Amino acid sequence: MLAIFLKTNFSVSLCLFLSVFSCICMSIISGSGNWRYFIIKRSRHQQRNFLVTMPEKRLFEHLPKCVVPVNYDLKFHPDLKTFTFDGWSHVQVDIQECVKSITLNSAELEVKNVEFKTKDADNALKGEVSYNEENECVTLTFPNELQVGSGILSMEFKGELNDRMKGFYRSKYANPKKEVTHLAVTQFESTDARRAFPCWDEPAFKATFDVTLVMPQEMMGLSNMPQIKEVPHKSDSQLKMVTFQRTPKMSTYLLAFVVGQFDYLEAKDADGVLVRVYTPLGKKEQGRFALDVTVKTLPFYKEYFQIAYPLPKIDLIAIPDFLSGAMENWGLVTYRENALLIDPENSSATSRQLVALVVGHELAHMWFGNLVTMEWWTHLWLNEGFASWIEYLCVDNLFPDFEIWTQFVNTDLAAALKLDALHTSHPIEVPVGHPSEVDEIFDAISYCKGASVIRMLHNYIEDDDFRKGMNQYLNKFMYKNAATEDLWNCLETASGKPIKAVMSTWTSQMGYPVVNKKFCADGKIDGTSPLWMIPIDISTLSSGKKPIKKILMDQKEMEVTLEDIEPTDWVLLNCGSVGVYRIQYSTEMLNCLLAGIKDKSLPPTDRLSLESDLFALSRAGMVPTVEVLKLVQAYVNEDNYTVWNDLARNLANIALLLQYTDYYEEYKAFARKLFEKVVAKVGWNATKDENHLTTLLRDLVLCRMGRYGDESVLKEARERFKMHLSGEKLLPADLKTPVYLTVLSHGDEDVLKTMLDLYEQAELQEEMIRISRAIGAVRKENLIRQVLEFAISDKVRSQDTVFVVAGVTGTVKGREMAWDFVKEHWDLFYQRYQGGALIARLLKLTTENFVTEKMAKEVEEFFAAHPAASATRNIQQSCENIRLNCKWMETEAKEVGKYLKSQVQQQQ
Ligand code: BES
Ligand code: ZN
């Protein structure tokens, strides 16, 4: 028998400067015979001295609700020569209070010929337009009061088909004749529908939409719904007008239309929904994989939600210039090319997995987000957290060999725990107003922590009740809006469990607890109430993967008893890494668990979270890094891809810091030794019909070994690169990244030049992205400079620039040069991305790995002088990371150096 005492008592921080955090302290009180006894404690800790100024709240007001849209009848004529568009709208509105003016969103549009007419009136009222650029609104003022009831508001408007990937924009591509051409496409989430037409651009103003597009005869027009009519233009025989069926009631950010030339593949799903995947001309076969995934996924979600897909068709379309990865416009989902297209010959296993996940994610939004929409952006996490969770369920169903749930722990959970350990993190639910604040929350908290707490919740109430509650929620709010609490209410009814009480502790406060199993002599309890209600699953050697006990730690003190435990058996808290917290074990417990790592009696997710937690705790100064480096040697026989992926990232994070010391070479030797066995095991050649994860593992470990300077990997990579260039033996897609990275990081000007030639010849965006992200591995100053210049040249799309620049930040020299480059070209970057998520990514990626207080100050000072609203929080997070690095360098680096040197001596 094993008794576990749960008490609330003290706390530790994952990050040295964290303000409020909690800790569960599990104490071994005694251990005799076959039972053990623990106390778990935790509590609130006082804030330490760390000052950050939080973003200033920008003034923001919601649109008045006295006039609401019911149906928008819209016509657009994009001109792909002048890059402008004309638009006409007739909006049926409901006047709910007498008003003389109507205020709605509009940005960068010229609005004219405004009229308002009711059915009974003989004449229309003409409206005056006044613009409020700051608030992205127009106010239309009429000579008389508009009476309560229905009326039609007509407007004409004009705008630019911009090249900034938002609103109604243009995207450039080469057609099969290699001529440069353009297409016109929309991206409206979160707040950019107002750049295409004047509208009530808030998610709660749901309405229906009739769309008509005017375009040249040879082009194709697409929108959310199927086409119902195509007629020649009345006055211009070169043009045609295409009209689409009315949409269901939905939010403006989900409207979409595209005009351009495409090929497509089509199929019907089991329920007769027409699915098409649109690709660049001549490349329709690259849509096959996504088509198959979609056709299988729609019925999967229908079954899961118990609600059929509500539209008659769904199109998935690849757009050459695209701001994010993909966008869930209802019935017309837009994607980056590399997130949709798979070339059977030239795409890697990583890409197939990415496409499956992205398709699964966007399709989930058709229900969760589109049918039921968040009330306001504060509840964005409902959309994104949920879709980011269920995409794994979907992929697990289609591709069980991906073991995608294990990967979740290394992707979403790891990202959530990393970001949320910072003082500059934010709660999942965060009040937002101004568009730049909305942009800011499309981050790892909304996506990854959101997905992780849903996973924890799903595990806590189990699938049946979860589905029941989900179904209730979707049925209750379909074609309407909902808030977080609405979902909790439904899940609470379905499960009979205290969902609201438990979940609000995870969504309304930032941070997460640390579960700490160590001996507490005094056993004192302080008076604070628990900060989190923590579902904890406990497993043991004999229970294996399954929990032996599931508890909810909802009070200061709890006692739990486990039967039939041998003192040497491992006991694991948070089995399956389902909880959103970390664990600190006592040395005794850890030693038992290490045995479970070596003999692999611990399942992969737990082997992963064990090292992951240790690295995080060492970063917080709670465990010496040297101890962690000693412990990770237990992983030398590891063969699981996901465990390696996580471990490799954690080791690389230490490498980033040790680059600033004079024992970096020793660290590389240490890392090579760790990877040696697994590299030998996977080798260079894939076997026929190889397991997906083995393919990923080979890519991963060869990349790392190449980077750590392994001679034999370097030699082999160079030979294979040579044969690839001569055409003697082409590199398979899955070996390209390791070979490119290895030859580049040890290469000269010729290698870079060759890679840039390969880039120019590439036709697949996946390959261009692969190359452009790899070239930053070069080490010489003049080559790094070339890469940076290339990143902002017209050879690289704006959507990719940020990642090319980030590619050089892996070395000390490159990192400094990238930051100087950003400062030097600040105006260009700022103009290009005008706020938005990409500039935030750029700034974070180029600054967060510095290691001195001086650099933290420099970054802060630069942005004090050059503010970038949508990146405010990211910059603060970067500076906090820099200071954590700095602290680590001061307190840990020396000891690590001593240890590494002793290791090298031992080997000699
Ligand atoms: N709704 C988002 C797209 C989006 C993101 C629009 C940010 C506006 C601002 C979409 O559903 C999404 O989450 N896309 C992800 C890919 C997904 C698989 C995580 C993306 O774009 O990265
Ligand atoms: Zn999403």
Side-chain angles (χ1 to χ4, degrees):
M1 184 187 74
L2 170 84
I4 302 176
F5 240 143
L6 305 169
K7 286 189 190 173
T8 304
N9 159 307
F10 82 94
S11 65
V12 246
S13 163
L14 253 198
C15 122
L16 284 173
F17 308 109
L18 205 66
S19 61
V20 178
F21 45 81
S22 161
C23 157
I24 305 177
C25 168
M26 186 176 250
S27 317
I28 304 180
I29 302 289
S30 68
S32 70
N34 64 349
W35 67 274
R36 280 189 269 157
Y37 188 58
F38 301 91
I39 297 180
I40 303 183
K41 298 172 174 182
R42 64 170 184 191
S43 80
R44 182 186 281 265
H45 200 67
Q46 275 317 300
Q47 178 154 1
R48 305 218 188 154
N49 55 339
F50 183 67
L51 267 181
V52 240
T53 34
M54 288 312 274
E56 270 177 42
K57 279 262 158 254
R58 293 243 212 145
L59 283 180
F60 172 78
E61 268 180 62
H62 284 282
L63 290 174
K65 292 223 159 62
C66 37
V67 180
V68 297
V70 176
N71 178 62
Y72 293 85
D73 185 356
L74 301 167
K75 186 160 92 178
F76 294 92
H77 179 193
D79 184 335
L80 287 165
K81 296 209 168 63
T82 59
F83 301 137
T84 57
F85 65 89
D86 290 303
W88 298 263
S89 68
H90 302 284
V91 191
Q92 186 196 331
V93 292
D94 219 354
I95 312 275
Q96 305 195 331
E97 283 169 38
C98 287
V99 284
K100 254 194 98 169
S101 67
I102 299 177
T103 296
L104 67 168
N105 292 116
S106 173
E108 297 168 20
L109 294 175
E110 184 193 334
V111 183
K112 56 187 182 194
N113 294 340
V114 175
E115 289 187 354
F116 180 82
K117 191 172 178 308
T118 56
K119 225 170 62 209
D120 313 325
D122 295 336
N123 294 315
L125 293 175
K126 289 213 179 305
E128 290 282 318
V129 185
S130 76
Y131 297 86
N132 182 338
E133 276 176 34
E134 173 64 21
N135 291 350
E136 304 186 338
C137 284
V138 282
T139 298
L140 315 172
T141 309
F142 298 92
N144 306 326
E145 278 216 326
L146 313 181
Q147 301 304 309
V148 171
S150 179
I152 302 284
L153 174 67
S154 303
M155 289 168 273
E156 286 181 33
F157 45 94
K158 216 178 176 47
E160 187 203 3
L161 276 181
N162 70 71
D163 61 355
R164 297 193 315 273
M165 299 177 282
K166 57 189 200 176
F168 198 10
Y169 72 94
R170 62 184 192 260
S171 170
K172 194 159 123 177
Y173 64 100
N175 67 15
K177 287 189 228 144
K178 306 266 183 231
E179 298 155 342
V180 172
T181 27
H182 288 90
L183 59 90
V185 57
T186 56
Q187 166 60 43
F188 289 166
E189 192 177 11
S190 321
T191 54
D192 293 320
R194 64 191 68 173
R195 279 166 226 283
F197 62 107
C199 57
W200 283 259
D201 199 12
E202 296 184 10
F205 287 100
K206 286 197 173 186
T208 54
F209 297 83
D210 303 318
V211 174
T212 295
L213 298 172
V214 182
M215 72 200 83
Q217 290 287 356
E218 69 278 11
M219 295 236 172
M220 185 186 269
L222 296 169
S223 188
N224 304 73
M225 299 296 286
Q227 178 177 324
I228 39 170
K229 196 165 76 181
E230 181 179 318
V231 294
H233 194 272
K234 284 185 208 107
S235 52
D236 186 341
S237 63
Q238 309 270 316
L239 299 176
K240 63 182 179 188
M241 292 209 302
V242 177
T243 301
F244 302 90
Q245 209 172 303
R246 178 167 294 186
T247 69
K249 228 175 141 191
M250 65 184 212
S251 306
T252 46
Y253 80 90
L254 293 168
L255 188 70
F257 33 92
V258 183
V259 170
Q261 288 177 305
F262 306 95
D263 274 342
Y264 64 84
L265 287 177
E266 67 175 30
K268 284 199 168 160
D269 86 341
D271 299 297
V273 177
L274 179 63
V275 182
R276 283 184 178 167
V277 179
Y278 287 85
T279 71
L281 292 176
K283 295 186 179 167
K284 63 180 175 190
E285 273 312 309
Q286 293 180 11
R288 179 77 58 198
F289 180 74
L291 184 72
D292 289 346
V293 171
T294 307
V295 164
K296 289 179 192 142
T297 298
L298 288 174
F300 173 74
Y301 284 148
K302 177 187 168 192
E303 160 69 22
Y304 197 85
F305 296 125
Q306 290 291 302
I307 295 172
Y309 174 71
L311 308 187
K313 67 98 174 167
I314 184 157
D315 296 327
L316 291 74
I317 184 165
I319 305 294
D321 299 278
F322 200 75
L323 194 57
S324 58
M327 175 64 213
E328 71 268 27
N329 315 298
W330 214 353
L332 175 58
V333 186
T334 42
Y335 292 81
R336 260 191 197 216
E337 288 195 357
N338 71 317
L340 184 69
L341 304 179
I342 291 296
D343 175 347
E345 289 295 304
N346 297 303
S347 288
S348 64
T350 312
S351 291
R352 290 164 58 86
Q353 183 175 300
L354 173 79
V355 170
L357 285 168
V358 182
V359 170
H361 177 106
E362 303 310 334
L363 292 181
H365 279 314
M366 302 299 121
W367 286 261
F368 214 93
N370 300 7
L371 186 61
V372 177
T373 311
M374 72 254 136
E375 181 68 36
W376 178 244
W377 299 106
T378 296
H379 306 278
L380 168 78
W381 86 276
L382 269 186
N383 265 14
E384 298 304 346
F386 184 82
S388 300
W389 171 76
I390 206 168
E391 67 185 68
Y392 285 81
L393 197 70
C394 157
V395 169
D396 193 42
N397 177 258
L398 294 186
F399 304 100
D401 56 320
F402 289 8
E403 293 176 21
I404 203 75
W405 278 120
T406 309
Q407 295 196 53
F408 181 95
V409 180
N410 164 57
T411 51
D412 286 49
L413 181 62
L417 293 176
K418 180 178 178 212
L419 182 54
D420 207 23
L422 297 181
H423 183 70
T424 44
S425 179
H426 62 86
I428 282 182
E429 281 188 281
V430 54
V432 285
H434 192 275
S436 71
E437 291 170 4
V438 177
D439 278 346
E440 266 194 318
I441 57 168
F442 282 85
D443 66 358
I445 297 299
S446 302
Y447 278 76
C448 304
K449 189 179 181 188
S452 301
V453 299
I454 287 174
R455 176 164 168 262
M456 181 164 72
L457 166 70
H458 176 264
N459 185 67
Y460 171 54
I461 69 174
E462 302 187 8
D463 199 51
D464 278 352
D465 287 347
F466 187 82
R467 285 165 76 147
K468 243 190 266 159
M470 241 32 243
N471 173 262
Q472 229 184 66
Y473 170 81
L474 290 172
N475 275 309
K476 186 162 173 197
F477 295 99
M478 54 166 68
Y479 304 106
K480 299 200 203 78
N481 298 77
T484 307
E485 289 242 313
D486 296 319
L487 179 61
W488 298 160
N489 284 336
C490 293
L491 290 167
E492 190 152 319
T493 315
S495 68
K497 287 186 172 151
I499 304 303
K500 224 185 315 175
V502 172
M503 292 310 288
S504 63
T505 69
W506 295 93
T507 59
S508 60
Q509 63 183 341
M510 65 183 214
Y512 53 86
V514 177
V515 177
N516 184 340
K517 281 170 73 162
K518 69 181 179 207
F519 184 70
C520 283
D522 63 2
K524 272 195 203 134
I525 309 164
D526 73 10
T528 29
S529 56
L531 280 177
W532 284 271
M533 292 223 205
I534 311 175
I536 302 177
D537 288 6
I538 301 164
S539 64
T540 65
L541 177 62
S542 48
S543 75
K545 253 188 172 167
K546 290 225 170 69
I548 194 168
K549 197 120 215 165
K550 287 165 90 86
I551 57 169
L552 178 69
M553 191 176 170
D554 61 350
Q555 46 191 297
K556 287 180 247 165
E557 196 170 328
M558 269 176 88
E559 191 178 321
V560 182
T561 307
L562 307 178
E563 312 262 330
D564 294 330
I565 309 290
E566 293 295 331
T568 51
D569 286 359
W570 52 257
V571 175
L572 186 88
L573 289 187
N574 190 20
C575 79
S577 311
V578 183
V580 187
Y581 43 85
R582 294 205 186 268
I583 315 274
Q584 182 177 24
Y585 291 100
S586 67
T587 313
E588 298 92 313
M589 305 304 291
L590 198 55
N591 283 338
C592 295
L593 287 161
L594 283 180
I597 287 170
K598 288 187 189 140
D599 66 15
K600 303 209 188 82
S601 58
L602 266 176
T605 40
D606 305 313
R607 303 206 291 273
L608 188 163
S609 53
L610 211 63
E611 53 78 22
S612 167
D613 287 353
L614 281 168
F615 276 100
L617 293 168
S618 72
R619 185 162 170 77
M622 292 162 66
V623 175
T625 307
V626 171
E627 290 311 308
V628 182
L629 294 182
K630 285 180 190 163
L631 291 171
V632 295
Q633 295 176 37
Y635 289 82
V636 62
N637 292 320
E638 183 58 66
D639 55 6
N640 182 282
Y641 159 71
T642 312
V643 179
W644 268 119
N645 199 3
D646 198 81
L647 181 54
R649 188 182 52 234
N650 289 323
L651 289 166
N653 286 338
I654 305 253
L656 288 175
L657 301 168
L658 295 180
Q659 286 172 346
Y660 291 93
T661 67
D662 55 7
Y663 31 88
Y664 181 44
E665 285 307 316
E666 284 83 353
Y667 186 71
K668 292 199 317 202
F670 171 86
R672 289 197 297 269
K673 186 115 191 63
L674 203 57
F675 280 100
E676 212 167 48
K677 255 196 174 164
V678 63
V679 168
K681 187 165 176 189
V682 293
W684 279 84
N685 298 315
T687 52
K688 200 169 170 299
D689 298 323
E690 183 172 84
N691 169 295
H692 174 77
L693 293 171
T694 308
T695 310
L696 297 188
L697 180 61
R698 177 178 304 106
D699 176 348
L700 171 79
V701 297
L702 289 177
C703 279
R704 300 292 171 170
M705 264 309 224
R707 278 278 177 124
Y708 288 127
D710 182 78
E711 285 300 330
S712 69
V713 167
L714 176 59
K715 186 160 166 277
E716 184 77 23
R718 282 184 170 146
E719 269 165 30
R720 287 181 182 247
F721 189 55
K722 214 161 105 195
M723 291 194 289
H724 179 67
L725 296 176
S726 69
E728 188 183 337
K729 189 171 170 211
L730 292 182
L731 283 169
D734 293 300
L735 278 185
K736 282 182 171 172
T737 302
V739 168
Y740 292 171
L741 278 174
T742 306
V743 297
L744 279 156
S745 61
H746 301 85
D748 54 16
E749 185 141 17
D750 284 347
V751 177
L752 179 58
K753 167 138 196 340
T754 310
M755 289 306 305
L756 292 174
D757 290 344
L758 286 180
Y759 179 90
E760 300 252 355
Q761 293 155 23
E763 289 193 4
L764 191 65
Q765 266 202 20
E766 176 185 330
E767 175 71 352
M768 299 172 88
I769 289 171
R770 189 153 42 220
I771 295 172
S772 62
R773 290 185 186 195
I775 53 178
V778 294
R779 305 204 176 168
K780 294 191 186 103
E781 195 169 328
N782 62 326
L783 304 187
I784 297 173
R785 185 88 211 161
Q786 272 187 53
V787 172
L788 289 169
E789 294 294 346
F790 171 77
I792 54 166
S793 72
D794 58 9
K795 297 203 167 98
V796 176
R797 294 178 188 273
S798 270
Q799 62 168 12
D800 300 320
T801 296
V802 165
F803 306 103
V804 184
V805 174
V808 310
T809 61
T811 59
V812 170
K813 185 91 230 146
R815 200 169 303 140
E816 283 164 7
M817 288 177 68
W819 168 235
D820 286 341
F821 191 77
V822 167
K823 286 186 291 180
E824 216 176 292
H825 296 86
W826 176 249
D827 290 344
L828 178 141
F829 285 116
Y830 193 76
Q831 279 308 319
R832 237 194 222 199
Y833 300 118
Q834 303 221 337
L838 280 179
I839 200 145
R841 293 282 281 278
L842 175 74
L843 300 179
K844 189 157 195 185
L845 290 169
T846 49
T847 56
E848 70 180 350
N849 292 324
F850 289 123
V851 297
T852 60
E853 176 60 29
K854 181 171 162 280
M855 285 311 296
K857 285 228 171 70
E858 182 180 323
V859 172
E860 277 170 350
E861 276 160 22
F862 183 79
F863 292 109
H866 303 82
S870 68
T872 313
R873 204 188 295 272
N874 275 263
I875 292 158
Q876 290 168 342
Q877 288 162 352
S878 258
C879 292
E880 189 176 349
N881 265 319
I882 298 172
R883 292 192 166 102
L884 284 167
N885 291 343
C886 175
K887 189 91 196 160
W888 189 92
M889 295 297 281
E890 280 166 21
T891 55
E892 297 286 299
K894 235 192 228 132
E895 286 305 310
V896 170
K898 265 194 233 154
Y899 172 70
L900 291 172
K901 290 207 161 120
S902 75
Q903 287 295 103
V904 173
Q905 271 159 16
Q906 262 178 34
Q907 277 169 33
Q908 279 160 0

